[in-house]
Amino acid sequence: MTGAPTVAQRRTQVRQLAQTGSSNRAIAAKLGISKDTVRRDLATNDAPPQTLAEKFAARAAQTESAMSQLSAAVQAVADAKPAYTPVDEETARRWYAELRATAAHLAAHADAFADYYPDTAACATETASAP
């Protein structure tokens, strides 16, 4: 009795069919899977398997980059001084709403971070209160 192929077996079949020039749609029909699954399998085949530690390291690097971009964006807004930039009322309302929404979103992330890493909240409080 042969069951359904494992994920690794299916990905191998997808890769082999793709190498023969079959379209994603034809591969999906032949294997009884969706075009999206074919697309994901082909993308996955290009990447070597990652260990959990490698996945965590990649996620940390991605987050480090995002945090760096966030700091740069905040500095750019501070340098632009939007509160002191003469604009029409509609633009002023939009900027205010965007600043408030972004601040609330960031505060929620900071709160979640403090929940997960409680020692960082105490450190941040000490740093903020330092002269």
Side-chain angles (χ1 to χ4, degrees):
M1 176 172 145
T2 61
T6 65
V7 172
Q9 291 170 332
R10 185 193 71 225
R11 287 180 177 162
T12 299
Q13 290 175 319
V14 167
R15 185 175 52 248
Q16 289 170 344
L17 290 168
Q19 289 172 344
T20 66
S22 297
S23 69
N24 287 8
R25 182 171 284 159
I27 295 169
K30 182 171 181 89
L31 299 179
I33 57 178
S34 74
K35 292 183 306 181
D36 290 335
T37 300
V38 171
R39 180 185 48 78
R40 281 191 301 272
D41 284 352
L42 289 172
T44 302
N45 285 329
D46 293 339
Q50 288 185 315
T51 65
L52 191 56
E54 290 170 331
K55 288 179 183 180
F56 284 154
R59 180 69 182 263
Q62 178 187 24
T63 303
E64 184 68 37
S65 175
M67 294 299 292
S68 178
Q69 292 172 24
L70 171 63
S71 294
V74 168
Q75 187 60 54
V77 170
D79 292 345
K81 300 180 181 178
Y84 304 104
T85 303
V87 293
D88 60 89
E89 287 295 319
E90 182 179 334
T91 301
R93 279 192 205 87
R94 182 173 48 83
W95 287 357
Y96 178 79
E98 288 175 11
L99 285 167
R100 283 293 180 183
T102 301
H105 198 78
L106 289 172
H109 281 287
D111 291 345
F113 194 87
D115 289 345
Y116 198 77
Y117 297 99
D119 292 341
T120 60
C123 178
T125 303
E126 291 168 10
T127 304
S129 63

mmCIF file of all heavy atoms in Angstrom, residues 5-49:
data_model
loop_
_atom_site.group_PDB
_atom_site.id
_atom_site.type_symbol
_atom_site.label_atom_id
_atom_site.label_comp_id
_atom_site.label_asym_id
_atom_site.label_seq_id
_atom_site.Cartn_x
_atom_site.Cartn_y
_atom_site.Cartn_z
ATOM 1 N N PRO A 5 2.733 10.941 -0.974
ATOM 2 C CA PRO A 5 4.173 11.188 -0.839
ATOM 3 C C PRO A 5 4.454 12.154 0.303
ATOM 4 O O PRO A 5 3.617 12.987 0.658
ATOM 5 C CB PRO A 5 4.558 11.801 -2.184
ATOM 6 C CG PRO A 5 3.291 12.355 -2.743
ATOM 7 C CD PRO A 5 2.185 11.493 -2.193
ATOM 8 N N THR A 6 5.634 12.009 0.877
ATOM 9 C CA THR A 6 6.031 12.953 1.921
ATOM 10 C C THR A 6 6.271 14.307 1.269
ATOM 11 O O THR A 6 6.355 14.424 0.039
ATOM 12 C CB THR A 6 7.328 12.495 2.615
ATOM 13 O OG1 THR A 6 8.391 12.539 1.655
ATOM 14 C CG2 THR A 6 7.193 11.102 3.207
ATOM 15 N N VAL A 7 6.405 15.321 2.089
ATOM 16 C CA VAL A 7 6.658 16.664 1.575
ATOM 17 C C VAL A 7 7.952 16.669 0.767
ATOM 18 O O VAL A 7 8.024 17.234 -0.328
ATOM 19 C CB VAL A 7 6.713 17.691 2.725
ATOM 20 C CG1 VAL A 7 7.166 19.048 2.225
ATOM 21 C CG2 VAL A 7 5.353 17.802 3.395
ATOM 22 N N ALA A 8 8.978 16.020 1.286
ATOM 23 C CA ALA A 8 10.261 15.975 0.585
ATOM 24 C C ALA A 8 10.117 15.271 -0.764
ATOM 25 O O ALA A 8 10.670 15.728 -1.772
ATOM 26 C CB ALA A 8 11.316 15.278 1.441
ATOM 27 N N GLN A 9 9.356 14.169 -0.798
ATOM 28 C CA GLN A 9 9.145 13.450 -2.059
ATOM 29 C C GLN A 9 8.369 14.319 -3.047
ATOM 30 O O GLN A 9 8.700 14.368 -4.237
ATOM 31 C CB GLN A 9 8.395 12.141 -1.806
ATOM 32 C CG GLN A 9 9.208 11.112 -1.070
ATOM 33 C CD GLN A 9 8.372 9.930 -0.609
ATOM 34 O OE1 GLN A 9 7.168 10.047 -0.366
ATOM 35 N NE2 GLN A 9 9.012 8.775 -0.466
ATOM 36 N N ARG A 10 7.355 14.996 -2.552
ATOM 37 C CA ARG A 10 6.561 15.864 -3.426
ATOM 38 C C ARG A 10 7.423 16.989 -3.989
ATOM 39 O O ARG A 10 7.371 17.297 -5.176
ATOM 40 C CB ARG A 10 5.376 16.452 -2.666
ATOM 41 C CG ARG A 10 4.449 17.279 -3.571
ATOM 42 C CD ARG A 10 3.460 18.123 -2.806
ATOM 43 N NE ARG A 10 4.153 19.220 -2.138
ATOM 44 C CZ ARG A 10 3.940 19.580 -0.878
ATOM 45 N NH1 ARG A 10 3.056 18.953 -0.137
ATOM 46 N NH2 ARG A 10 4.611 20.581 -0.348
ATOM 47 N N ARG A 11 8.245 17.587 -3.154
ATOM 48 C CA ARG A 11 9.108 18.679 -3.620
ATOM 49 C C ARG A 11 10.095 18.181 -4.679
ATOM 50 O O ARG A 11 10.398 18.887 -5.633
ATOM 51 C CB ARG A 11 9.838 19.324 -2.440
ATOM 52 C CG ARG A 11 8.904 20.153 -1.601
ATOM 53 C CD ARG A 11 9.598 20.790 -0.434
ATOM 54 N NE ARG A 11 8.650 21.628 0.292
ATOM 55 C CZ ARG A 11 8.827 22.059 1.523
ATOM 56 N NH1 ARG A 11 9.928 21.749 2.181
ATOM 57 N NH2 ARG A 11 7.910 22.807 2.108
ATOM 58 N N THR A 12 10.579 16.966 -4.498
ATOM 59 C CA THR A 12 11.470 16.382 -5.499
ATOM 60 C C THR A 12 10.726 16.196 -6.818
ATOM 61 O O THR A 12 11.253 16.525 -7.886
ATOM 62 C CB THR A 12 12.035 15.035 -5.006
ATOM 63 O OG1 THR A 12 12.782 15.264 -3.806
ATOM 64 C CG2 THR A 12 12.922 14.378 -6.046
ATOM 65 N N GLN A 13 9.477 15.690 -6.746
ATOM 66 C CA GLN A 13 8.675 15.516 -7.959
ATOM 67 C C GLN A 13 8.422 16.863 -8.633
ATOM 68 O O GLN A 13 8.519 16.984 -9.857
ATOM 69 C CB GLN A 13 7.332 14.850 -7.625
ATOM 70 C CG GLN A 13 7.430 13.411 -7.226
ATOM 71 C CD GLN A 13 6.080 12.858 -6.793
ATOM 72 O OE1 GLN A 13 5.325 13.524 -6.096
ATOM 73 N NE2 GLN A 13 5.783 11.637 -7.225
ATOM 74 N N VAL A 14 8.086 17.866 -7.846
ATOM 75 C CA VAL A 14 7.826 19.201 -8.386
ATOM 76 C C VAL A 14 9.066 19.718 -9.096
ATOM 77 O O VAL A 14 9.000 20.223 -10.224
ATOM 78 C CB VAL A 14 7.370 20.175 -7.267
ATOM 79 C CG1 VAL A 14 7.413 21.615 -7.735
ATOM 80 C CG2 VAL A 14 5.980 19.805 -6.779
ATOM 81 N N ARG A 15 10.214 19.574 -8.462
ATOM 82 C CA ARG A 15 11.467 20.053 -9.060
ATOM 83 C C ARG A 15 11.767 19.316 -10.361
ATOM 84 O O ARG A 15 12.140 19.929 -11.368
ATOM 85 C CB ARG A 15 12.616 19.893 -8.057
ATOM 86 C CG ARG A 15 13.918 20.471 -8.565
ATOM 87 C CD ARG A 15 15.059 20.432 -7.540
ATOM 88 N NE ARG A 15 15.280 19.116 -6.964
ATOM 89 C CZ ARG A 15 15.042 18.788 -5.695
ATOM 90 N NH1 ARG A 15 14.588 19.683 -4.844
ATOM 91 N NH2 ARG A 15 15.258 17.575 -5.257
ATOM 92 N N GLN A 16 11.583 17.992 -10.357
ATOM 93 C CA GLN A 16 11.854 17.212 -11.567
ATOM 94 C C GLN A 16 10.937 17.626 -12.703
ATOM 95 O O GLN A 16 11.390 17.790 -13.845
ATOM 96 C CB GLN A 16 11.705 15.717 -11.273
ATOM 97 C CG GLN A 16 12.810 15.163 -10.394
ATOM 98 C CD GLN A 16 12.534 13.754 -9.906
ATOM 99 O OE1 GLN A 16 11.400 13.259 -9.963
ATOM 100 N NE2 GLN A 16 13.572 13.090 -9.406
ATOM 101 N N LEU A 17 9.651 17.799 -12.422
ATOM 102 C CA LEU A 17 8.705 18.205 -13.458
ATOM 103 C C LEU A 17 9.014 19.614 -13.963
ATOM 104 O O LEU A 17 8.893 19.893 -15.157
ATOM 105 C CB LEU A 17 7.270 18.108 -12.937
ATOM 106 C CG LEU A 17 6.767 16.678 -12.724
ATOM 107 C CD1 LEU A 17 5.455 16.684 -11.940
ATOM 108 C CD2 LEU A 17 6.589 15.971 -14.065
ATOM 109 N N ALA A 18 9.433 20.497 -13.060
ATOM 110 C CA ALA A 18 9.766 21.862 -13.465
ATOM 111 C C ALA A 18 10.989 21.852 -14.375
ATOM 112 O O ALA A 18 11.064 22.631 -15.335
ATOM 113 C CB ALA A 18 10.017 22.728 -12.235
ATOM 114 N N GLN A 19 11.929 20.957 -14.113
ATOM 115 C CA GLN A 19 13.134 20.886 -14.935
ATOM 116 C C GLN A 19 12.838 20.385 -16.343
ATOM 117 O O GLN A 19 13.598 20.647 -17.270
ATOM 118 C CB GLN A 19 14.189 20.001 -14.264
ATOM 119 C CG GLN A 19 14.808 20.648 -13.039
ATOM 120 C CD GLN A 19 15.716 19.710 -12.259
ATOM 121 O OE1 GLN A 19 15.689 18.495 -12.440
ATOM 122 N NE2 GLN A 19 16.511 20.285 -11.366
ATOM 123 N N THR A 20 11.715 19.676 -16.512
ATOM 124 C CA THR A 20 11.334 19.210 -17.849
ATOM 125 C C THR A 20 10.610 20.298 -18.628
ATOM 126 O O THR A 20 10.255 20.087 -19.786
ATOM 127 C CB THR A 20 10.430 17.963 -17.777
ATOM 128 O OG1 THR A 20 9.178 18.323 -17.182
ATOM 129 C CG2 THR A 20 11.086 16.832 -17.007
ATOM 130 N N GLY A 21 10.356 21.435 -17.964
ATOM 131 C CA GLY A 21 9.690 22.544 -18.646
ATOM 132 C C GLY A 21 8.202 22.612 -18.402
ATOM 133 O O GLY A 21 7.514 23.441 -19.000
ATOM 134 N N SER A 22 7.684 21.769 -17.537
ATOM 135 C CA SER A 22 6.249 21.807 -17.227
ATOM 136 C C SER A 22 5.904 23.099 -16.507
ATOM 137 O O SER A 22 6.684 23.591 -15.688
ATOM 138 C CB SER A 22 5.857 20.627 -16.338
ATOM 139 O OG SER A 22 6.068 19.403 -17.006
ATOM 140 N N SER A 23 4.735 23.635 -16.794
ATOM 141 C CA SER A 23 4.277 24.844 -16.108
ATOM 142 C C SER A 23 3.815 24.487 -14.703
ATOM 143 O O SER A 23 3.547 23.316 -14.394
ATOM 144 C CB SER A 23 3.115 25.476 -16.876
ATOM 145 O OG SER A 23 1.970 24.644 -16.792
ATOM 146 N N ASN A 24 3.722 25.510 -13.855
ATOM 147 C CA ASN A 24 3.226 25.283 -12.485
ATOM 148 C C ASN A 24 1.826 24.685 -12.516
ATOM 149 O O ASN A 24 1.505 23.799 -11.727
ATOM 150 C CB ASN A 24 3.234 26.586 -11.695
ATOM 151 C CG ASN A 24 4.627 27.027 -11.297
ATOM 152 O OD1 ASN A 24 5.615 26.442 -11.722
ATOM 153 N ND2 ASN A 24 4.716 28.071 -10.503
ATOM 154 N N ARG A 25 1.002 25.172 -13.433
ATOM 155 C CA ARG A 25 -0.380 24.663 -13.550
ATOM 156 C C ARG A 25 -0.373 23.188 -13.939
ATOM 157 O O ARG A 25 -1.119 22.386 -13.374
ATOM 158 C CB ARG A 25 -1.146 25.488 -14.574
ATOM 159 C CG ARG A 25 -2.591 25.043 -14.720
ATOM 160 C CD ARG A 25 -3.382 25.998 -15.564
ATOM 161 N NE ARG A 25 -3.660 27.164 -14.714
ATOM 162 C CZ ARG A 25 -3.978 28.349 -15.158
ATOM 163 N NH1 ARG A 25 -4.087 28.591 -16.428
ATOM 164 N NH2 ARG A 25 -4.213 29.331 -14.325
ATOM 165 N N ALA A 26 0.500 22.802 -14.899
ATOM 166 C CA ALA A 26 0.571 21.402 -15.332
ATOM 167 C C ALA A 26 1.092 20.514 -14.206
ATOM 168 O O ALA A 26 0.589 19.403 -14.000
ATOM 169 C CB ALA A 26 1.462 21.289 -16.570
ATOM 170 N N ILE A 27 2.094 21.016 -13.483
ATOM 171 C CA ILE A 27 2.642 20.250 -12.358
ATOM 172 C C ILE A 27 1.561 20.048 -11.304
ATOM 173 O O ILE A 27 1.378 18.942 -10.778
ATOM 174 C CB ILE A 27 3.872 20.963 -11.764
ATOM 175 C CG1 ILE A 27 5.012 21.011 -12.773
ATOM 176 C CG2 ILE A 27 4.325 20.275 -10.471
ATOM 177 C CD1 ILE A 27 6.172 21.914 -12.381
ATOM 178 N N ALA A 28 0.829 21.114 -10.991
ATOM 179 C CA ALA A 28 -0.234 21.033 -9.983
ATOM 180 C C ALA A 28 -1.285 20.009 -10.391
ATOM 181 O O ALA A 28 -1.720 19.190 -9.562
ATOM 182 C CB ALA A 28 -0.868 22.407 -9.788
ATOM 183 N N ALA A 29 -1.694 20.033 -11.648
ATOM 184 C CA ALA A 29 -2.710 19.089 -12.127
ATOM 185 C C ALA A 29 -2.198 17.661 -12.051
ATOM 186 O O ALA A 29 -2.922 16.748 -11.621
ATOM 187 C CB ALA A 29 -3.114 19.440 -13.559
ATOM 188 N N LYS A 30 -0.950 17.455 -12.448
ATOM 189 C CA LYS A 30 -0.378 16.104 -12.457
ATOM 190 C C LYS A 30 -0.267 15.529 -11.047
ATOM 191 O O LYS A 30 -0.535 14.355 -10.822
ATOM 192 C CB LYS A 30 0.989 16.121 -13.125
ATOM 193 C CG LYS A 30 1.625 14.751 -13.215
ATOM 194 C CD LYS A 30 2.866 14.785 -14.079
ATOM 195 C CE LYS A 30 3.486 13.428 -14.183
ATOM 196 N NZ LYS A 30 2.995 12.612 -15.267
ATOM 197 N N LEU A 31 0.110 16.378 -10.090
ATOM 198 C CA LEU A 31 0.328 15.891 -8.721
ATOM 199 C C LEU A 31 -0.887 16.050 -7.819
ATOM 200 O O LEU A 31 -0.866 15.614 -6.667
ATOM 201 C CB LEU A 31 1.536 16.607 -8.105
ATOM 202 C CG LEU A 31 2.875 16.398 -8.818
ATOM 203 C CD1 LEU A 31 3.981 17.178 -8.115
ATOM 204 C CD2 LEU A 31 3.221 14.924 -8.911
ATOM 205 N N GLY A 32 -1.922 16.724 -8.326
ATOM 206 C CA GLY A 32 -3.128 16.909 -7.519
ATOM 207 C C GLY A 32 -2.931 17.891 -6.373
ATOM 208 O O GLY A 32 -3.473 17.698 -5.280
ATOM 209 N N ILE A 33 -2.134 18.939 -6.628
ATOM 210 C CA ILE A 33 -1.902 19.975 -5.625
ATOM 211 C C ILE A 33 -2.205 21.327 -6.252
ATOM 212 O O ILE A 33 -2.465 21.420 -7.453
ATOM 213 C CB ILE A 33 -0.439 19.934 -5.093
ATOM 214 C CG1 ILE A 33 0.569 20.089 -6.244
ATOM 215 C CG2 ILE A 33 -0.189 18.645 -4.319
ATOM 216 C CD1 ILE A 33 2.029 20.114 -5.814
ATOM 217 N N SER A 34 -2.190 22.382 -5.465
ATOM 218 C CA SER A 34 -2.494 23.708 -5.996
ATOM 219 C C SER A 34 -1.266 24.333 -6.653
ATOM 220 O O SER A 34 -0.127 23.940 -6.378
ATOM 221 C CB SER A 34 -3.001 24.629 -4.883
ATOM 222 O OG SER A 34 -1.924 25.024 -4.056
ATOM 223 N N LYS A 35 -1.523 25.320 -7.514
ATOM 224 C CA LYS A 35 -0.427 26.070 -8.140
ATOM 225 C C LYS A 35 0.419 26.764 -7.082
ATOM 226 O O LYS A 35 1.633 26.873 -7.225
ATOM 227 C CB LYS A 35 -0.971 27.129 -9.116
ATOM 228 C CG LYS A 35 -1.630 26.579 -10.337
ATOM 229 C CD LYS A 35 -2.078 27.700 -11.266
ATOM 230 C CE LYS A 35 -2.957 28.677 -10.504
ATOM 231 N NZ LYS A 35 -3.476 29.778 -11.279
ATOM 232 N N ASP A 36 -0.243 27.246 -6.025
ATOM 233 C CA ASP A 36 0.496 27.921 -4.950
ATOM 234 C C ASP A 36 1.455 26.965 -4.246
ATOM 235 O O ASP A 36 2.563 27.345 -3.868
ATOM 236 C CB ASP A 36 -0.468 28.546 -3.944
ATOM 237 C CG ASP A 36 -1.203 29.743 -4.508
ATOM 238 O OD1 ASP A 36 -0.667 30.384 -5.443
ATOM 239 O OD2 ASP A 36 -2.313 30.031 -4.033
ATOM 240 N N THR A 37 1.015 25.721 -4.067
ATOM 241 C CA THR A 37 1.898 24.728 -3.452
ATOM 242 C C THR A 37 3.104 24.467 -4.343
ATOM 243 O O THR A 37 4.242 24.373 -3.857
ATOM 244 C CB THR A 37 1.130 23.419 -3.178
ATOM 245 O OG1 THR A 37 0.050 23.703 -2.286
ATOM 246 C CG2 THR A 37 2.030 22.356 -2.566
ATOM 247 N N VAL A 38 2.876 24.394 -5.647
ATOM 248 C CA VAL A 38 3.984 24.207 -6.588
ATOM 249 C C VAL A 38 4.951 25.380 -6.474
ATOM 250 O O VAL A 38 6.171 25.192 -6.368
ATOM 251 C CB VAL A 38 3.462 24.068 -8.044
ATOM 252 C CG1 VAL A 38 4.628 24.085 -9.032
ATOM 253 C CG2 VAL A 38 2.632 22.806 -8.201
ATOM 254 N N ARG A 39 4.411 26.593 -6.472
ATOM 255 C CA ARG A 39 5.257 27.786 -6.383
ATOM 256 C C ARG A 39 6.080 27.762 -5.097
ATOM 257 O O ARG A 39 7.291 28.006 -5.101
ATOM 258 C CB ARG A 39 4.390 29.043 -6.439
ATOM 259 C CG ARG A 39 5.178 30.339 -6.345
ATOM 260 C CD ARG A 39 4.283 31.561 -6.290
ATOM 261 N NE ARG A 39 3.188 31.476 -5.341
ATOM 262 C CZ ARG A 39 3.301 31.643 -4.022
ATOM 263 N NH1 ARG A 39 4.468 31.910 -3.483
ATOM 264 N NH2 ARG A 39 2.246 31.538 -3.230
ATOM 265 N N ARG A 40 5.420 27.446 -3.965
ATOM 266 C CA ARG A 40 6.143 27.399 -2.683
ATOM 267 C C ARG A 40 7.201 26.293 -2.681
ATOM 268 O O ARG A 40 8.307 26.483 -2.184
ATOM 269 C CB ARG A 40 5.167 27.201 -1.531
ATOM 270 C CG ARG A 40 4.454 28.463 -1.117
ATOM 271 C CD ARG A 40 3.698 28.289 0.195
ATOM 272 N NE ARG A 40 2.706 27.242 0.158
ATOM 273 C CZ ARG A 40 1.426 27.398 -0.235
ATOM 274 N NH1 ARG A 40 1.010 28.576 -0.624
ATOM 275 N NH2 ARG A 40 0.600 26.396 -0.237
ATOM 276 N N ASP A 41 6.837 25.131 -3.252
ATOM 277 C CA ASP A 41 7.805 24.029 -3.292
ATOM 278 C C ASP A 41 9.023 24.402 -4.120
ATOM 279 O O ASP A 41 10.156 24.095 -3.742
ATOM 280 C CB ASP A 41 7.161 22.762 -3.856
ATOM 281 C CG ASP A 41 6.256 22.064 -2.851
ATOM 282 O OD1 ASP A 41 6.242 22.466 -1.668
ATOM 283 O OD2 ASP A 41 5.570 21.103 -3.259
ATOM 284 N N LEU A 42 8.814 25.067 -5.234
ATOM 285 C CA LEU A 42 9.946 25.488 -6.061
ATOM 286 C C LEU A 42 10.799 26.513 -5.336
ATOM 287 O O LEU A 42 12.028 26.480 -5.408
ATOM 288 C CB LEU A 42 9.459 26.036 -7.405
ATOM 289 C CG LEU A 42 8.892 24.983 -8.363
ATOM 290 C CD1 LEU A 42 8.266 25.650 -9.571
ATOM 291 C CD2 LEU A 42 9.969 23.992 -8.771
ATOM 292 N N ALA A 43 10.166 27.423 -4.632
ATOM 293 C CA ALA A 43 10.921 28.429 -3.869
ATOM 294 C C ALA A 43 11.687 27.767 -2.736
ATOM 295 O O ALA A 43 12.823 28.130 -2.451
ATOM 296 C CB ALA A 43 9.978 29.500 -3.332
ATOM 297 N N THR A 44 11.084 26.793 -2.091
ATOM 298 C CA THR A 44 11.712 26.093 -0.976
ATOM 299 C C THR A 44 12.893 25.272 -1.457
ATOM 300 O O THR A 44 13.902 25.169 -0.785
ATOM 301 C CB THR A 44 10.694 25.180 -0.266
ATOM 302 O OG1 THR A 44 9.620 25.983 0.182
ATOM 303 C CG2 THR A 44 11.311 24.458 0.906
ATOM 304 N N ASN A 45 12.769 24.713 -2.643
ATOM 305 C CA ASN A 45 13.861 23.892 -3.165
ATOM 306 C C ASN A 45 15.117 24.702 -3.396
ATOM 307 O O ASN A 45 16.208 24.160 -3.395
ATOM 308 C CB ASN A 45 13.435 23.201 -4.468
ATOM 309 C CG ASN A 45 12.498 22.048 -4.206
ATOM 310 O OD1 ASN A 45 12.577 21.410 -3.176
ATOM 311 N ND2 ASN A 45 11.601 21.792 -5.129
ATOM 312 N N ASP A 46 14.973 26.005 -3.616
ATOM 313 C CA ASP A 46 16.133 26.846 -3.845
ATOM 314 C C ASP A 46 16.890 27.135 -2.551
ATOM 315 O O ASP A 46 18.060 27.459 -2.578
ATOM 316 C CB ASP A 46 15.718 28.180 -4.482
ATOM 317 C CG ASP A 46 15.179 27.977 -5.887
ATOM 318 O OD1 ASP A 46 15.487 26.933 -6.493
ATOM 319 O OD2 ASP A 46 14.445 28.856 -6.361
ATOM 320 N N ALA A 47 16.201 27.051 -1.452
ATOM 321 C CA ALA A 47 16.814 27.375 -0.167
ATOM 322 C C ALA A 47 17.219 26.092 0.553
ATOM 323 O O ALA A 47 16.449 25.145 0.608
ATOM 324 C CB ALA A 47 15.829 28.157 0.697
ATOM 325 N N PRO A 48 18.426 26.063 1.113
ATOM 326 C CA PRO A 48 18.826 24.873 1.867
ATOM 327 C C PRO A 48 18.014 24.773 3.158
ATOM 328 O O PRO A 48 17.560 25.784 3.686
ATOM 329 C CB PRO A 48 20.306 25.127 2.176
ATOM 330 C CG PRO A 48 20.477 26.606 2.083
ATOM 331 C CD PRO A 48 19.442 27.094 1.115
ATOM 332 N N PRO A 49 17.815 23.573 3.653
ATOM 333 C CA PRO A 49 17.069 23.427 4.901
ATOM 334 C C PRO A 49 17.780 24.159 6.042
ATOM 335 O O PRO A 49 19.006 24.192 6.079
ATOM 336 C CB PRO A 49 17.031 21.919 5.157
ATOM 337 C CG PRO A 49 17.834 21.274 4.096
ATOM 338 C CD PRO A 49 18.298 22.317 3.130
#
